């Protein structure tokens, strides 16, 4: 069954839709946690097979080692030894990016290391404050308890919560009811929690790709630009990127937020097609198609800290 298209009507920037939860009548298909007292199984849907004996949770597969990255450079900045990764490109100026991996610098090939170090010293107050802010935000996220993957769990979707319903069937599949705001995940008997999480993530990514393309085309037409390619990213907290080749990537986790915040990020990245910087001209360009960008930018930071931990 194809998932229902999300409602793309403009939402109140600060609003959250109230959605009544539908009762759920199934139990998780994996084992009861150790030491817990099993409950009497509630009635199951007549449209699915009865639960079978579940297998123990499988350990999460280890992530294969990534390709070797060039070592980070170090520079003494005030009382701190600052580490940063350096990438050369065809851009005309030095670019600074701070994410969960630290400071990343993109510089033209003609720029010497001494010139890069001087640019870092010139922006040291901004760099150190942003690194501190990033560390604090990351620590706040890690302190939140992860979502408990059970029937009736609440998951963030387009700015409000949806209900997760777990069913047992002959094959793994998912469907979303936009009217009741219920995501039904059907898993084979003996499925693991990891399989459930991967199924939910795949549904999120499918919804994100479909919605983001719609909004990209809408705002690209408003701005009078064209992007050459689009793809999803899974970055920690970097919501989007745009290259000099007009290739745009958007973080699929944006699908957790309300439509106005998604539109802000899309307008932001499309504006980079005309201005590959964050100058006053860039923000004026963003304002041409998204006038409330300052409000949305601040709210996005706040909402990002409020998100539950879904996929640690």
């Amino acid at each position: 069954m194809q998932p229902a298209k999300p409602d793309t009507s403009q939402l109140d920037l600060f609003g959250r839709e109230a959605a009544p939860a539908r009762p759920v009548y199934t139990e998780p298909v994996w084992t009861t946690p150790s030491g817990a007292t099993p409950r009497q199984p509630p009635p199951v849907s007549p449209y699915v097979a009865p639960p079978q004996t579940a297998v123990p949770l499988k350990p999460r597969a280890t992530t294969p080692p990534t390709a070797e990255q060039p070592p980070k450079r170090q520079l003494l900045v005030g009382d701190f030894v600052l580490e940063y990764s350096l990438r050369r490109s065809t851009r005309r100026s030095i670019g600074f990016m701070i994410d969960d991996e630290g400071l990343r610098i993109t510089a033209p090939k003609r720029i010497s290391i001494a010139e890069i170090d001087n640019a870092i010293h010139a922006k040291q107050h901004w760099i150190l404050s942003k690194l501190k802010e990033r560390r604090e935000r990351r620590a706040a996220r890690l302190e939140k308890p992860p979502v408990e993957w059970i029937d009736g769990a609440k998951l963030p979707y387009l700015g409000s919560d949806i209900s997760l319903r777990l069913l047992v069937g002959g094959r793994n599949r998912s469907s979303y009811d936009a009217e009741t705001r219920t995501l039904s995940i059907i898993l084979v008997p003996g499925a693991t929690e990891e399989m459930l999480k991967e199924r939910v993530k795949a549904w999120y990514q499918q919804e994100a790709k479909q919605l983001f393309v719609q909004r990209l085309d809408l705002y690209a037409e408003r701005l009078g630009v064209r992007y050459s390619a689009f793809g999803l990213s899974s970055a920690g907290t970097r919501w989007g990127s745009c290259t000099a080749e007009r290739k745009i990537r958007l973080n699929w986790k944006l699908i957790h937020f309300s439509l106005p915040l998604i539109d802000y990020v899309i307008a932001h990245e499309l504006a980079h097609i005309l201005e590959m910087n964050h100058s006053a001209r860039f923000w004026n360009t963003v304002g041409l198609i998204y006038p409330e960008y300052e409000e949305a930018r601040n709210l996005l930071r706040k909402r990002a800290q409020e998100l539950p931990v879904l996929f640690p």
Side-chain angles (χ1 to χ4, degrees), residues 22 59 82 147 223 255 307:
R22 189 172 66 177
L82 179 66
V147 167
L223 191 59
I255 199 68
L307 278 181

Side-chain angles (χ1 to χ4, degrees), residues 232-298:
L232 296 178
S233 77
S234 300
T237 53
R238 187 181 185 188
W239 300 121
S241 64
C242 178
T243 69
E245 294 76 27
R246 295 179 289 112
K247 296 179 180 179
I248 290 178
R249 300 192 73 195
L250 296 172
N251 195 318
W252 66 265
K253 298 173 188 175
L254 283 169
I255 199 68
H256 299 320
F257 302 118
S258 62
L259 191 60
L261 300 188
I262 296 172
D263 285 349
Y264 156 67
V265 176
I266 287 173
H268 182 117
E269 300 310 329
L270 286 171
H272 277 311
I273 294 178
L274 299 178
E275 296 289 338
M276 290 296 294
N277 50 59
H278 287 102
S279 63
R281 290 179 59 183
F282 166 79
W283 290 112
N284 289 337
T285 302
V286 176
L288 291 175
I289 54 175
Y290 199 96
E292 306 86 0
Y293 67 86
E294 290 188 9
E295 188 178 30
R297 179 175 56 183
N298 295 331

Side-chain angles (χ1 to χ4, degrees), residues 11 13 35 38 43 56 90 112 132 141 155 168 193 204 230 233 272 277 288:
L11 306 178
L13 192 59
T90 57
S112 67
K132 179 182 178 182
R141 290 199 310 271
L155 304 177
V168 181
E193 182 175 305
Y204 269 133
F230 160 67
S233 77
H272 277 311
N277 50 59
L288 291 175

Side-chain angles (χ1 to χ4, degrees), residues 7-25:
D7 180 9
T8 58
S9 59
Q10 196 68 237
L11 306 178
D12 181 4
L13 192 59
F14 295 93
R16 291 176 64 88
E17 297 177 359
R22 189 172 66 177
V24 179
Y25 299 106

Side-chain angles (χ1 to χ4, degrees), residues 150-190:
I150 59 175
D151 287 320
K154 301 298 182 183
L155 304 177
Y157 176 62
L158 290 180
S160 59
D161 290 338
I162 61 175
S163 297
L164 176 65
R165 183 177 187 184
L166 304 181
L167 301 172
V168 181
R171 62 186 178 89
N172 295 338
R173 59 188 186 276
S174 59
S175 63
Y176 177 64
D177 188 328
E179 291 186 2
T180 62
R181 297 187 62 81
T182 300
L183 174 62
S184 297
I185 303 292
I186 302 177
L187 298 170
V188 297

Side-chain angles (χ1 to χ4, degrees), residues 66-104:
T66 57
E68 185 176 351
Q69 299 293 327
K72 290 190 174 184
R73 302 189 61 85
Q74 293 185 340
L75 177 67
L76 183 62
V77 178
D79 297 328
F80 301 94
V81 176
L82 179 66
E83 287 191 338
Y84 67 91
S85 57
L86 174 63
R87 185 175 70 89
R88 298 290 187 171
S89 76
T90 57
R91 62 177 294 151
R92 298 179 180 179
S93 59
I94 300 175
F96 298 85
M97 173 62 67
I98 294 176
D99 57 20
D100 285 345
E101 301 300 320
L103 173 62
R104 292 186 295 157

